[in-house]
Amino acid sequence: MSHTSTALVIGGGIAGPVTAMALQKAGIEATVYEAYPSTADGIGGALSIAPNGLNALAVLDAEDAVRRVGDPMTAMVFRSWTGKQLAEFASPPGDRPTMLLVWRTDLYRALYDEAVSRGVRIEHGKRLVDLTQTDQAVTARFADGTRASADILIGADGIRSTVRGLIDPAAPQPRYVGLLGFGARLAQTGLASNHGKMQMFFGKRAFFGYQILDDGSGGWFANLPHREPMSTAEARAVRPEEWMGVLREAFADDRSPAVDLIDRTDPAELVVTGGLEDIPSVPTWHSGRVVLVGDSAHATSPSSGQGASLAIESAVQLARCLRDLPHEEAFAAYERLRRARCERVIKMAARTNSDKAAGPVARVLRDLLMPVAMKVLAKPEKMAWQFDYRVDWAEPAVDRQAA
């Protein structure tokens, strides 16, 4: 049996509250420490919660909180810049929940409120600056001079994780994938519903996706190839009107609703996420009493459609391992359960990013070869490995290496 009874969770975004709820289910008291002084309401664009992510939330009885803020996404339809359909990816047949389209701000608030309603304590204004470990505990030191100690510490602090750097000063930094991200939410799109089918266009100069709901509302996102990386702050320093002009030009030749949806967007509502990034592999997931979860351990670019779902899966698996094993064995078992799957998703997303950021010559080859490739990839069985993943909470966790 595990001897872990308390935990510090660093990071209050998506992974942090889910990790705390999962630990609570495992009988471990967790407190979340968030660097920012207030909640992250209104931050971020659209993302998807895949069936596997919903299955992991179901282990915690938290899936309904997310369903209430999401809209069904029954398929993803890929098209060329001419409007020609290349492929349609639908969930494989079987007993699976329907994928959801959700705005990050709504997902964040739903998970935050759900955690708080269960008695999880979330402290704001706690920016981690250092940590120390002994044989009995780990202690976090925050920028405001306060400290906190527990049996273990979990880094759920994202792609630029402070915890990752503290346990491995040589840890890799985020890798820019050659794309800038934009998006917007519209109360009225002027378009007919696409009945849950997200439409995605490999445009001549950029990538565009949109979904229209039954009431005429909806949203769009764009991935714009850009040679030089830009941080979120740098990208947001450019006036929204300027970016919208750049996007209009990028999609001007495409036979898609991109320009019309951009024109309908209030510049003040434009979501600018800056450079898209990933980390292909993080060598050190844990050290002593400290472990990483979510983007701090396995950051995939948004092109995977699996970032939030992988973080939720990892949070639940980590808690399951800690429920049944001493922390050293639990961390090792957790990494063996998660590393290969997460890095496979990251690798697949990197190939998608290459298609989105294709130059003039590569774009011609892409448009010639993609219809054939899409026919192969669009087979339901090709996606099953992603969507069918389940955490068997009832099954005792085992340290197979020790066994």
Side-chain angles (χ1 to χ4, degrees):
M1 291 294 292
S2 171
H3 300 288
T4 302
S5 60
T6 58
L8 312 177
V9 179
I10 306 300
I14 303 302
V18 176
T19 300
M21 287 189 284
L23 291 171
Q24 185 184 67
K25 184 177 178 70
I28 300 169
E29 181 183 353
T31 301
V32 178
Y33 295 89
E34 167 56 44
Y36 290 97
S38 61
T39 55
D41 298 296
I43 295 176
L47 52 85
S48 62
I49 303 295
N52 46 289
L54 289 166
N55 286 333
L57 285 170
V59 173
L60 307 179
D61 296 318
E63 77 278 21
D64 285 345
V66 174
R67 289 185 194 280
R68 286 193 290 269
V69 298
D71 294 293
M73 189 161 69
T74 57
M76 293 175 287
V77 180
F78 288 88
R79 301 181 183 277
S80 70
W81 70 271
T82 65
K84 177 184 177 181
Q85 181 168 320
L86 301 174
E88 180 173 323
F89 289 84
S91 294
D95 182 22
R96 296 177 189 83
T98 301
M99 184 180 298
L100 295 179
L101 175 69
V102 59
W103 288 83
R104 189 190 185 282
T105 183
D106 297 338
L107 176 64
Y108 162 78
R109 195 74 223 193
L111 294 173
Y112 184 102
D113 290 346
E114 185 69 18
V116 170
S117 74
R118 299 181 184 201
V120 172
R121 186 157 57 97
I122 302 178
E123 295 197 15
H124 290 269
K126 299 294 182 180
R127 184 174 297 279
L128 181 73
V129 294
D130 198 9
L131 61 85
T132 55
Q133 302 188 57
T134 68
D135 291 340
Q136 291 77 37
V138 57
T139 298
R141 182 166 63 87
F142 302 105
D144 64 0
T146 60
R147 298 171 185 265
S149 298
D151 294 330
I152 60 170
L153 183 148
I154 300 171
D157 50 345
I159 193 169
R160 285 180 165 72
S161 170
T162 298
V163 177
R164 184 176 63 234
L166 289 173
I167 65 172
D168 180 12
Q173 295 299 308
R175 176 182 68 173
Y176 175 57
V177 303
L179 299 164
L180 301 180
F182 304 88
R185 198 174 192 172
L186 299 175
Q188 284 299 323
T189 62
L191 299 177
S193 169
N194 44 37
H195 306 293
K197 294 185 177 183
M198 171 71 77
Q199 306 292 309
M200 300 186 181
F201 288 77
F202 286 95
K204 271 192 170 184
R205 301 179 185 86
F207 186 85
F208 189 82
Y210 73 97
Q211 183 159 330
I212 312 300
L213 306 180
D214 290 346
D215 64 359
S217 67
W220 60 268
F221 73 92
N223 296 152
L224 179 71
H226 195 270
R227 187 181 300 276
E228 297 299 324
M230 293 184 78
S231 68
T232 301
E234 290 170 336
R236 289 177 179 170
V238 178
R239 293 173 59 250
E241 292 85 355
E242 292 184 39
W243 279 129
M244 291 171 70
V246 170
L247 293 171
R248 287 188 191 95
E249 183 177 353
F251 295 115
D253 294 334
D254 296 347
R255 297 169 193 169
S256 78
V259 173
D260 183 51
L261 289 171
I262 292 168
D263 284 343
R264 287 177 174 269
T265 300
D266 182 341
E269 300 298 320
L270 181 69
V271 175
V272 180
T273 55
L276 274 58
E277 298 174 320
D278 69 4
I279 302 178
S281 181
V282 173
T284 303
W285 279 30
H286 55 90
S287 178
R289 292 177 173 273
V290 181
V291 66
L292 305 175
V293 73
D295 280 355
S296 64
H298 46 75
T300 179
S301 77
S303 295
S304 71
Q306 282 281 356
S309 295
L310 290 181
I312 294 164
E313 289 178 357
S314 287
V316 178
Q317 281 287 27
L318 174 59
R320 171 175 165 262
C321 292
L322 284 165
R323 178 196 64 190
D324 298 336
L325 299 166
H327 72 268
E328 302 97 329
E329 297 170 25
F331 293 168
Y334 154 72
E335 181 176 353
R336 282 192 294 277
L337 285 167
R338 299 299 298 155
R339 179 181 284 277
R341 171 174 170 79
C342 294
E343 292 186 357
R344 184 180 179 186
V345 172
I346 293 168
K347 188 174 182 179
M348 288 187 64
R351 289 197 290 268
T352 302
N353 291 329
S354 295
D355 288 334
K356 291 180 177 180
V361 176
R363 187 165 59 241
V364 172
L365 293 174
R366 178 198 71 192
D367 291 348
L368 287 172
L369 298 175
M370 189 167 286
V372 176
M374 285 286 188
K375 286 181 181 179
V376 174
L377 293 173
K379 294 179 180 178
E381 60 269 23
K382 295 290 185 179
M383 303 296 291
W385 71 271
Q386 291 192 51
F387 295 153
D388 283 349
Y389 185 92
R390 291 179 181 271
V391 179
D392 189 350
W393 185 264
E395 181 71 16
V398 177
D399 181 6
R400 299 190 183 279
Q401 185 170 335

